[in-house]
Every structure is written in structure tokens, then in C-alpha cells.
Amino acid sequence: MTSRNKLLIIGASGHGRVVADIAIKMNRWQQIAFLDDDEEIQSPIRVKVIGKSNDAFTYINDYDIFVAIGNNKTREKIQTQLGVAGANIPTLIHPSTIIGEKVEVGIGTVVMAGVVINCCSTIGEGCIINTGAVIDHDNVIEDYVHISPGARLAGTIKVGQGSWLGIGSVVSNNVNIISGCMIGAGAVVVKDITEPGTYVGVPARRV
Ligand SMILES: CC(C)(COP(=O)(O)OP(=O)(O)OC[C@H]1O[C@@H](n2cnc3c(N)ncnc32)[C@H](O)[C@@H]1OP(=O)(O)O)[C@@H](O)C(=O)NCCC(=O)NCCS
């Protein structure tokens, strides 16, 4: 589908504003606006709130639409609905990102400032690859995963759909993390996680 010259970002919270900043720096859209369900929300940047999230469906023919909601399940729900309705959903990549050969990044995914993604890794749809994260070679990050700021993933790691790796977490090479996991801030994952749940500590253990 051809991309539009206007972009709508659903969600004007802190995460949404970082997303907007990346979109501005990409220099690809002539106009950028937010949708948010919170009537009180104020945008301190030059991107303004022009309606509520449901209004997205009426803008589908005029705007590219990006879902900037931190909760993985909510983001998945809204992005899926928009996809079914025929929305053009872009991929947002900060210009400072370092991306290796044969890296694929899906639609609706944002890759933030200072991220490194090395050769032959695949990032799914609707993911958040947050500020300064490192995803080394041959990783498979499935759809709607959030890799928080400063998380570091070694080589040949798989992260299942919708899982969330907390800020500063570390994953050793050749480890699989199943779908439905929350890896706590600073946790170090050294072996496969095969049961959904919350894991914290060094080495990471289920709580
Ligand atoms: C793991 C996490 C989800 C748990 O949150 P929670 O369910 O609200 O748990 P609580 O804060 O009630 O903590 C429960 C216990 O686990 C401990 N704990 C929580 N997070 C921990 C962590 N990351 N590492 C080690 N221990 C942790 C708490 O100290 C507490 O221990 P206690 O019972 O002995 O007092 C959360 O602490 C966390 O790490 N979130 C990551 C946030 C993040 O990365 N944000 C980035 C956004 S971009």
C-alpha cells in the first residue's frame, strides 16, 4: 500500500511522544498528529492531539497510522483491528539505529535511538525496541514484544509473542523465551524459559 504524507499516532503519553519524535526525525511525513482517549492530555511538543483513538478508522485513507501504546496486548488489539480495516501501518526507525545485513523489521514496530540490531535478526510486527537496546545476530523477536531500554540480547535468541523484557535485562546466547513472559528490570536470563510468567534476578527465576 502506498504510504501517505500524514501520520497519526495513537497514544500521546510519554511513549507516544518518543514515537512522535522519531517520526519527526525520519522526515517522511508533512503532518503528524496524535489521537488519545484522555481528554485532559496535553502534548508539550509540536504534535497536537486531534481526536480519540476510535477516530483512527475515519482517517484511514488520509493518514499512515501508528499505535504507540506501551501495553503489548492493547497495542496488538488495536493494530490488528487497524490492519483488518486496511490501515497503512508504517515501521518507525530512529536515524541513529545501527542495523546489520539481512535484518527484517515488521510493520507497526518502533526502533528507538541508539539501538543496535545485528545481522540476520528478525523483529516482528508491533514491537517496541526501546532506547539503547542491543539485539545481536540471528535473533527472532516475535510480534508485539517489548524490549525495554538498555536490554541486551546475545546471539540466536528467540522471544515469543507479546513478551516484555524489562529495562537493563540481559539474555545469554541460544536462549528461548516463551510467549507471555515478563522479564524484570536487570534480570539475567541464562537458560530457556518454557513457562509463561514473571522472572526476576540473576539468574532469572520465576516469581
Ligand atoms: C518484575 C516486575 C514486573 C514486578 O512488578 P510487580 O509484580 O509489581 O512486583 P512488586 O514490585 O510487587 O515486587 C514483588 C517482589 O519482587 C521484587 N522485585 C520486583 N522487581 C524486581 C526485579 N526487577 N529484580 C529483582 N527483584 C524484583 C520486589 O523487591 C518484591 O520483593 P519482596 O516481596 O521481597 O519485597 C517489575 O518490578 C519490573 O521489574 N518491571 C520492569 C519495568 C521496566 O522495565 N520498565 C521499562 C519501561 S520502558
Side-chain angles (χ1 to χ4, degrees):
M1 200 179 285
T2 348
S3 65
R4 327 272 192 248
N5 62 11
K6 295 192 279 189
L7 174 69
L8 262 186
I9 296 169
I10 301 179
S13 65
H15 174 63
R17 295 194 297 261
V18 177
V19 166
D21 198 22
I22 292 166
I24 291 167
K25 290 193 168 57
M26 287 173 72
N27 244 340
R28 179 168 140 191
W29 293 277
Q30 283 164 14
Q31 240 185 70
I32 303 175
F34 284 124
L35 298 178
D36 200 291
D37 291 339
D38 178 356
E39 284 172 3
E40 308 287 301
I41 204 157
Q42 300 281 340
S43 170
I45 59 173
R46 56 192 153 108
V47 176
K48 296 300 162 212
V49 182
I50 61 166
K52 297 200 169 168
S53 56
N54 258 339
D55 299 340
F57 296 93
T58 62
Y59 286 114
I60 269 179
N61 294 326
D62 299 325
Y63 286 79
D64 286 345
I65 304 180
F66 192 90
V67 186
I69 293 175
N71 181 281
N72 291 345
K73 283 218 162 73
T74 310
R75 191 170 66 260
E76 173 173 5
K77 185 174 157 220
I78 297 175
Q79 183 167 322
T80 304
Q81 287 169 346
L82 286 166
V84 169
N88 193 66
I89 300 171
T91 303
L92 299 187
I93 300 187
H94 193 282
S96 69
T97 306
I98 297 173
I99 295 195
E101 291 290 312
K102 289 205 75 175
V103 167
E104 285 169 28
V105 183
I107 58 165
T109 287
V110 59
V111 181
M112 296 187 170
V115 165
V116 179
I117 306 173
N118 271 341
C119 176
C120 315
S121 285
T122 304
I123 316 291
E125 299 184 0
C127 292
I128 302 169
I129 311 299
N130 221 313
T131 312
V134 171
I135 297 177
D136 219 294
H137 62 90
D138 299 293
N139 281 234
V140 176
I141 310 299
E142 291 187 347
D143 299 343
Y144 304 104
V145 163
H146 180 178
I147 310 284
S148 294
R152 285 163 287 158
L153 283 66
T156 327
I157 286 163
K158 185 173 172 193
V159 182
Q161 179 157 344
S163 280
W164 176 16
L165 274 58
I167 187 161
S169 58
V170 169
V171 187
S172 277
N173 51 309
N174 307 314
V175 164
N176 288 337
I177 297 175
I178 199 175
S179 178
C181 290
M182 165 72 222
I183 309 298
V188 177
V189 183
V190 295
K191 56 183 186 190
D192 287 1
I193 292 184
T194 54
E195 298 281 329
T198 300
Y199 293 79
V200 299
V202 184
R205 296 198 194 284
R206 193 168 177 197
V207 288

